[in-house]
Amino acid sequence: MEPAGTRRLELMVTGMDCPECAGHVRQALEALPGVHEVSVLLSAEKALLTVDPARVDLPALCQAVERAGYQARPPLLQQKTATSLAEQSQRRLTRTLFTLYGLLFGAVLLLIIVGEWLGLLDRLTDRLPWPIGAGLTLLAGAPIFWDVLQAARRGRIISHTLMSLGVLAALFIGQWPTAAVVVFFMHVGKYSERLTSERSRQALKRLAALAPQQARVIREEEEQVIPVEEVAPGEIVVVRPGEAIPVDGEVVAGQATVNQAAITGEALPLEAAPGSRVFAATLVQGGSLRIRATRAGSNTTFARIVALVEEAEAQRAPVQRLADRFSAWFLPVVLAVALLALLLRRDPLAAAAVLVVACSCSLALATPVAMLASIAAAASHGLLIKGGAHLERLAQADVLLIDKTGTLTSGTLQICDVLPLAGMTRQQLLHLAASAERYSEHPLAEAVRQAARDEGVALSDPETFEVLPGRGVRASIEGRLVSVGNASLLPEGQQPAEARNLAAAGKSLLFVSCEGALIGILAASDRLRPEVVEALAQLRALGFQSIELLTGDHEEAAASLAGPLGISYRARLLPEDKIAIVKAYQAQGHCVIMVGDGINDAPALAQADVGVALGVVGTDVALEAAHVALLREDWRLLPALVQIARRTMRVVRLNLVFTLLYNLLGLSLAAWGLLPPIVAAAAQSLPDLGILANSTRLLRQRIKSSPRG
């Protein structure tokens, strides 16, 4: 809940290259009076704030960001939901520049190593006076030195602070070529950080770019093309073959296949016809549609998904906070090592090398780059993970608790047993029962009508129709009085033994009578999702110690479902009972996943370490209720989710170990004088690229598609 009198603001922030930059922006905004909460999202290049509008305004927020050394502006909707042609052109130019820069980096590094070995740098020092060399060095590094001074003025030490001290140390002892090379690699490091951050942003940008910027609407009996945010609810939107649907809405005319991969990750298209619900960013194929808009712009399901993926960065994983704490004391330790190298070895070059080789920014990048890569990749496959904290808990989970109706089952009743009595045939029984239920709105009535349709049984219009509340229906069919309902419609003692057997199996029974005589029994049950058996087998293979069904249904229904699946169950549970069960597992030290439909199970989902809502497309309540949302109803996404989480944590641990060992080795070699400042400067820029290469493997994760049918 937001404090009374406050409002949420969004601010676009550019110029951030690493988590350290995001921290500077956050501190600058938090220092303003009237700012209550700040989340700075490096990947989305934005800040989310809760502010008191009476004490702080937008210009003041922008000025605070600019004083910290970055650029700020209010968001534009089209920049949030789509990538323009200009942005695409700029991205191509950036890739080209990075390629050229990489070639230049390799050439300069080779010249430096060869030049140092042949003594060419000493000759350069002799020929070019120190004041000129030092001046050129300071001029080349001026933008970075300015950032360091600005940070120092605010009492902060940044990663380039140490390298800047190394440059000054080299200049002080007359080694201006060494200082110049260090400045060059400071720029290399800055660009490598920018490359790493930009690479992690690309998945989000590709996701956002799927939403169209314009819509074709019917106004004054003509088609008009307008910006998508100007579409009003209720307007008719025309979508032609090959176009992306720009709004959420209901089809009112036309037929087409719709590829919903942008929302659910499902590769196979769905058939859309009048009455079908469709969503923004999905693609129309093989037909055209007219859609009555219900939501447009930032209110669509797709825009909400993009926003949640962006905001996931604010949910920092415990392992990330550990890395942040390590970074906080890493810089003082480096300063201490450099001072010891200077005092004990009397070697200013060794001290300078220590300052230059330290890679504090790579520590800060080790976790978020991997987390964001996995979250973005998962979103493209229909898995919405709301932050790194939930991803880390998923990797630790060992207990799975499952809701029944709408989760383990499809939530749709179907007739599974037809028992004709009194000389009736199966078709005759279905004909009379479905005709009597023709105008009933009860879910069991629809199941009866569907069973008749499946077997090609024609229905008759009832001459009379009466609903018997809590009991069933009574209708006159072809001159005969037919009743369909529960056992209360039967005379005392007329329930046959077959009915008791079906009820013991957890099925819902409908008794069909004609002129007061029982002529048949229909048994209905909720259908188990077809992929559940395979998914549970995969989860057991992943090491889940306990898998348990939690339901408010009676014992027989729970047992009939849990028994064949080989899982335990608890029946007749209230919402508070489910919460108590989750707490009991947590008290025993288990990490609990709770899977539900995201609406009725919201309290238990919130209590679990990870609450997973299944099949929540278009449902705001469900999207908000859980920590993870599966955007299509496919149980096989759940083991895939756990595998993604565990793979991500392996990458994070590898990033952290690599960074720590790299720094330890570099500092040790530099302190003992075995790593010249020039080589130390080159070495300093490499860990970021290593983390980038390791983490972006997560962007290529593949997830099995759901079964159809």
Side-chain angles (χ1 to χ4, degrees):
M1 289 290 292
E2 296 177 12
T6 64
R7 57 181 290 214
R8 291 279 287 175
L9 288 179
E10 186 175 303
L11 204 62
M12 305 306 295
V13 180
T14 56
M16 298 185 295
D17 298 327
C18 67
E20 191 177 65
C21 301
H24 297 164
V25 174
R26 184 175 63 254
Q27 292 170 10
L29 291 171
E30 287 174 340
L32 293 177
V35 176
H36 295 284
E37 294 180 6
V38 180
S39 295
V40 179
L41 311 180
L42 176 65
S43 61
E45 296 184 288
K46 67 174 62 172
L48 306 177
L49 307 98
T50 302
V51 303
D52 181 352
R55 302 177 63 195
V56 67
D57 57 12
L58 196 58
L61 295 171
C62 292
Q63 289 172 9
V65 173
E66 289 166 3
R67 285 196 301 270
Y70 307 92
Q71 298 79 48
R73 55 180 169 76
L76 297 176
L77 183 63
Q78 54 265 39
Q79 289 174 323
K80 290 170 58 181
T81 59
T83 301
S84 67
L85 291 175
E87 287 174 321
Q88 295 174 15
S89 176
Q90 183 180 12
R91 199 154 59 232
R92 287 193 294 269
L93 177 61
T94 300
R95 283 198 296 266
T96 302
L97 289 177
F98 273 127
T99 301
L100 294 174
Y101 199 82
L103 295 173
L104 179 62
F105 168 75
V108 172
L109 181 60
L110 180 63
L111 288 173
I112 288 168
I113 293 174
V114 173
E116 177 80 3
W117 178 49
L118 297 177
L120 298 179
L121 295 182
D122 293 335
R123 297 178 194 175
L124 183 62
T125 306
D126 295 338
R127 293 191 177 189
L128 192 65
W130 182 89
I132 296 177
L136 291 174
T137 300
L138 293 174
L139 182 63
I144 296 175
F145 299 147
W146 176 252
D147 291 342
V148 171
L149 289 174
Q150 290 291 93
R153 192 165 61 86
R154 296 178 178 84
R156 296 198 303 260
I157 296 176
I158 62 177
S159 58
H160 286 141
T161 300
L162 298 178
M163 297 189 75
S164 298
L165 291 175
V167 169
L168 293 177
L171 290 175
F172 181 76
I173 61 176
Q175 294 288 326
W176 73 259
T178 298
V181 172
V182 172
V183 166
F184 170 77
F185 282 111
M186 288 170 73
H187 284 289
V188 171
K190 190 173 182 65
Y191 278 106
S192 67
E193 290 165 9
R194 186 172 300 171
L195 173 63
T196 303
S197 299
E198 181 64 24
R199 186 68 180 87
S200 68
R201 291 176 184 137
Q202 288 308 309
L204 288 180
K205 290 184 177 181
R206 284 195 298 270
L207 185 65
L210 295 174
Q213 298 180 67
Q214 296 180 318
R216 189 182 294 105
V217 300
I218 303 296
R219 289 183 177 177
E220 300 176 355
E221 299 184 357
E222 292 183 355
E223 292 185 7
Q224 299 182 20
V225 178
I226 62 173
V228 68
E229 62 268 18
E230 295 180 9
V231 178
E235 286 197 289
I236 302 300
V237 177
V238 179
V239 187
R240 294 172 179 164
E243 294 181 343
I245 296 174
V247 296
D248 287 359
E250 181 181 340
V251 177
V252 295
Q255 287 188 326
T257 55
V258 178
N259 187 329
Q260 296 195 101
I263 296 283
T264 65
E266 172 61 77
L268 296 177
L270 301 177
E271 296 297 327
S276 301
R277 291 179 68 196
V278 291
F279 303 97
T282 57
L283 189 65
V284 171
Q285 301 171 332
S288 61
L289 299 173
R290 292 197 172 201
I291 301 164
R292 180 179 291 109
T294 56
R295 296 178 180 179
S298 60
N299 295 320
T300 64
T301 298
F302 180 77
R304 187 75 189 104
I305 290 169
V306 172
L308 288 172
V309 173
E310 290 177 347
E311 293 168 15
E313 186 179 349
Q315 300 291 330
R316 298 159 67 80
V319 68
Q320 186 172 343
R321 291 193 290 269
L322 178 65
D324 292 344
R325 287 195 296 270
F326 182 86
S327 296
W329 59 262
F330 176 74
L331 296 179
V333 166
V334 172
L335 288 172
V337 172
L339 184 60
L340 286 174
L342 181 63
L343 294 176
L344 298 180
R345 302 194 72 254
R346 307 289 182 182
D347 186 350
L349 281 179
V354 168
L355 297 174
V356 168
V357 80
C359 311
S360 63
C361 205
S362 61
L363 282 169
L365 285 170
T367 300
V369 171
M371 292 287 185
L372 288 171
S374 272
I375 289 171
S380 68
H381 290 287
L383 290 157
L384 185 57
I385 305 167
K386 296 184 181 178
H390 311 311
L391 202 59
E392 185 170 350
R393 293 191 195 104
L394 275 166
Q396 300 166 352
D398 60 351
V399 170
L400 177 65
L401 303 179
I402 311 167
D403 174 50
K404 175 180 173 284
T405 305
T407 303
L408 200 60
T409 62
S410 64
T412 303
L413 292 171
Q414 63 176 2
I415 300 300
C416 54
D417 295 280
V418 179
L419 273 69
L421 301 172
M424 299 291 292
T425 66
R426 182 185 181 93
Q427 284 70 27
Q428 288 172 333
L429 177 60
L430 284 173
H431 168 72
L432 291 174
S435 297
E437 295 275 23
R438 187 161 195 170
Y439 300 122
S440 174
E441 297 180 355
H442 196 280
L444 280 171
E446 174 57 30
V448 175
R449 293 193 294 267
Q450 185 61 49
R453 286 194 293 268
D454 291 344
E455 298 200 16
V457 175
L459 305 188
S460 299
D461 280 325
E463 292 92 27
T464 62
F465 175 77
E466 180 185 7
V467 175
L468 307 174
R471 303 174 68 196
V473 299
R474 183 183 294 127
S476 177
I477 307 297
E478 299 169 355
R480 291 179 288 181
L481 189 62
V482 178
S483 61
V484 184
N486 57 34
S488 64
L489 293 177
L490 297 177
E492 188 69 28
Q494 201 177 86
Q495 190 174 127
E498 293 93 330
R500 290 190 291 272
N501 295 334
L502 291 170
K507 299 175 181 178
S508 299
L509 303 186
L510 287 174
F511 297 92
V512 185
S513 299
C514 183
E515 300 294 348
L518 182 66
I519 61 170
I521 303 171
L522 304 177
S525 65
D526 198 354
R527 182 177 60 183
L528 180 71
R529 294 184 185 276
E531 75 280 5
V532 165
V533 174
E534 177 187 352
L536 291 180
Q538 292 175 0
L539 288 165
R540 289 190 186 94
L542 289 171
F544 276 76
Q545 297 180 15
S546 179
I547 301 177
E548 191 166 4
L549 172 65
L550 307 182
T551 179
D553 277 357
H554 51 79
E555 292 278 345
E556 292 82 2
S560 66
L561 193 63
L565 294 175
I567 62 176
S568 57
Y569 69 90
R570 303 191 206 190
R572 299 186 182 278
L573 298 177
L574 298 173
E576 53 265 34
D577 298 326
K578 295 181 181 181
I579 293 174
I581 293 169
V582 173
K583 288 182 176 179
Y585 272 114
Q586 291 171 330
Q588 297 169 16
H590 294 288
C591 189
V592 180
I593 297 176
M594 174 73 194
V595 185
D597 59 16
I599 302 174
N600 300 327
D601 302 294
L605 292 175
Q607 177 61 45
D609 295 284
V610 183
V612 179
L614 180 69
V616 298
V617 173
T619 310
D620 285 344
V621 175
L623 279 174
E624 297 293 341
H627 307 123
V628 176
L630 308 186
L631 301 179
R632 67 177 189 264
E633 297 181 349
D634 182 358
W635 257 80
R636 293 185 301 175
L637 291 176
L638 191 58
L641 181 68
V642 174
Q643 290 172 328
I644 286 173
R646 293 181 181 178
R647 192 177 300 123
T648 303
M649 293 311 299
R650 285 196 297 268
V651 168
V652 167
R653 285 191 289 268
L654 183 58
N655 283 348
L656 290 172
V657 170
F658 165 72
T659 304
L660 291 172
L661 292 178
Y662 194 95
N663 275 283
L664 180 61
L665 179 62
L667 290 173
S668 300
L669 293 175
W672 286 102
L674 301 176
L675 196 67
I678 290 176
V679 180
Q684 194 271 348
S685 60
L686 296 179
D688 291 351
L689 299 177
I691 287 171
L692 172 64
N694 190 42
S695 299
T696 51
R697 293 186 295 124
L698 297 169
L699 289 170
R700 298 188 293 273
Q701 298 182 83
R702 297 189 178 277
I703 296 175
K704 191 182 288 186
S705 298
S706 63
R708 302 297 301 217

